[in-house]
Amino acid sequence: MKFCNQCGASVEQRVPEGDNRPRHVCTACGTIHYSNPRIIAGCLPVYDNRVLLCRRAIEPRLGYWTLPAGFMENGESTEDAARRETLEEACTEVNIQSLYTLTSIVHVNQVQLIYLADMPTPDYGPSEESLEVRLFEEHEIPWDALAFETIRQVLRLYFEDRKQQQFPLRHVEINNNAFNTARVHD
Amino acid sequence: MKFCNQCGASVEQRVPEGDNRPRHVCTACGTIHYSNPRIIAGCLPVYDNRVLLCRRAIEPRLGYWTLPAGFMENGESTEDAARRETLEEACTEVNIQSLYTLTSIVHVNQVQLIYLADMPTPDYGPSEESLEVRLFEEHEIPWDALAFETIRQVLRLYFEDRKQQQFPLRHVEINNNAFNTARVHD
């Protein structure tokens, strides 16, 4: 950030009065420009014991498989966002069951919320955002062609928890490239 | 938003190619400026069956009572944020137990996460952000002097759930001033 989006003057990095960390502050009008983590909301859609994955039609990770998920927009709830992303990316309408994972992706300032969701019917398909959409049995999951480490973690936890048929909320924390230090707790 | 924070030129509202909603787009360099919901993280700290509340030293709602909570910062997890806000506002260190409420405050583009937390010791106190910090029995809660409707909902749910000593994650949705239509489910 170089310029104030309110008045167009240049901004500087400094700690505003009453604050304890540097912000972008306008040198002319004094507006403080905060930057905060963004929410990614999505679903783990299930039909007949199979999981729905999408093969990405857009960068990053074009051609790799992922769960339907994307940035939450203003003016919607987290569940609205998860359902909307699932409809946009997989062309399927789901019934949300419960929040399953909350992943803090610390190094990129994102919080990912994945909801467990039932598919009432096996209707789904590709979209502008997905080259291909498919239901996978556990043994068919393309582990080596998944788009994101966060999605790998969600799927790994899901198949573990499915043995007990219990899906408590899982907190995951991923910081920097230390994916193997991801911390998981109930 | 009137100006591009990258190049200082003016921005216009339009739907970028491949998108489906209007964004602020720079008329010179083409940068798309997204606006997304922000996360408020905080705790419901409990010591000896009493709940810790803070009386706000800052606007909005100066002088009213609330749970310690505030905007999540870049570079931290949701639990880091909840602990930090509790330390900053109530000068107490807590042990987080579980995520208790996820409230989509749709009309102001915020998602509030409140964690249940134990206080190992009854050490707490006022801060730059809180005029007063106090432990409350249920019958002492200042219901008429709470700062935010979202906090009232969290406290109401907590005392209900405490009868069963079970604290499942609660989703709450508040849209516009229709507080009474808040939707709550497990």
Side-chain angles (χ1 to χ4, degrees), chain A residues 2 5 23 73 115 171, chain B residues 2 5 23 73 115 171:
Chain A
K2 295 169 193 159
N5 64 22
R23 314 284 181 185
E73 299 279 2
Y115 286 87
H171 270 69
Chain B
K2 296 170 191 157
N5 63 21
R23 314 282 182 186
E73 300 279 1
Y115 286 88
H171 272 66

Side-chain angles (χ1 to χ4, degrees), chain B residues 45-170:
Chain B
V46 177
Y47 182 82
D48 190 24
N49 232 22
R50 287 173 293 166
V51 169
L52 195 74
L53 297 179
C54 307
R55 198 153 73 83
R56 290 174 63 82
I58 48 179
E59 294 289 358
R61 305 293 281 160
L62 191 154
Y64 288 82
W65 292 90
T66 189
L67 292 169
F71 286 112
M72 181 179 175
E73 300 279 1
N74 287 344
E76 62 184 3
S77 70
T78 55
E79 292 155 291
D80 290 341
R83 272 188 294 261
R84 176 183 52 72
E85 288 289 345
T86 306
L87 185 58
E88 286 177 2
E89 298 189 357
C91 299
T92 191
E93 302 210 25
V94 293
N95 296 325
I96 284 182
Q97 299 302 307
S98 63
L99 180 61
Y100 180 49
T101 58
L102 187 162
T103 303
S104 292
I105 317 174
V106 175
H107 59 296
V108 291
N109 308 315
Q110 293 175 357
V111 173
Q112 183 197 70
L113 303 173
I114 299 291
Y115 286 88
L116 278 189
D118 285 346
M119 295 169 62
T121 62
D123 297 318
Y124 57 85
S127 69
E128 287 191 4
E129 299 177 41
S130 302
L131 299 168
E132 190 181 351
V133 178
R134 231 196 88 178
L135 287 166
F136 289 86
E137 303 271 0
E138 181 176 358
H139 71 272
E140 299 172 321
I141 297 285
W143 294 104
D144 294 335
L146 293 178
F148 305 109
E149 182 61 23
T150 55
I151 297 301
R152 181 193 311 278
Q153 295 269 4
V154 173
L155 291 171
R156 190 179 61 74
L157 289 166
Y158 173 73
F159 291 115
E160 263 181 42
D161 286 340
R162 201 169 72 170
K163 293 175 192 158
Q164 283 80 41
Q165 283 293 312
Q166 302 236 346
F167 303 99
L169 173 64
R170 300 293 189 175

Side-chain angles (χ1 to χ4, degrees), chain A residues 54 56 60-62 64-66 142 145-152:
Chain A
C54 307
R56 291 174 63 82
R61 305 292 283 160
L62 192 153
Y64 288 83
W65 292 91
T66 189
L146 293 178
F148 306 108
E149 181 61 24
T150 53
I151 298 301
R152 181 193 312 278

Side-chain angles (χ1 to χ4, degrees), chain A residues 59-86:
Chain A
E59 294 290 359
R61 305 292 283 160
L62 192 153
Y64 288 83
W65 292 91
T66 189
L67 292 170
F71 287 112
M72 182 179 173
E73 299 279 2
N74 287 343
E76 62 185 3
S77 70
T78 56
E79 293 155 290
D80 290 341
R83 271 187 295 261
R84 176 183 52 72
E85 288 290 343
T86 305

Side-chain angles (χ1 to χ4, degrees), chain A residues 173-184:
Chain A
E173 186 176 326
I174 293 179
N175 200 343
N176 223 323
N177 293 318
F179 290 131
N180 54 352
T181 66
R183 183 173 53 83
V184 178

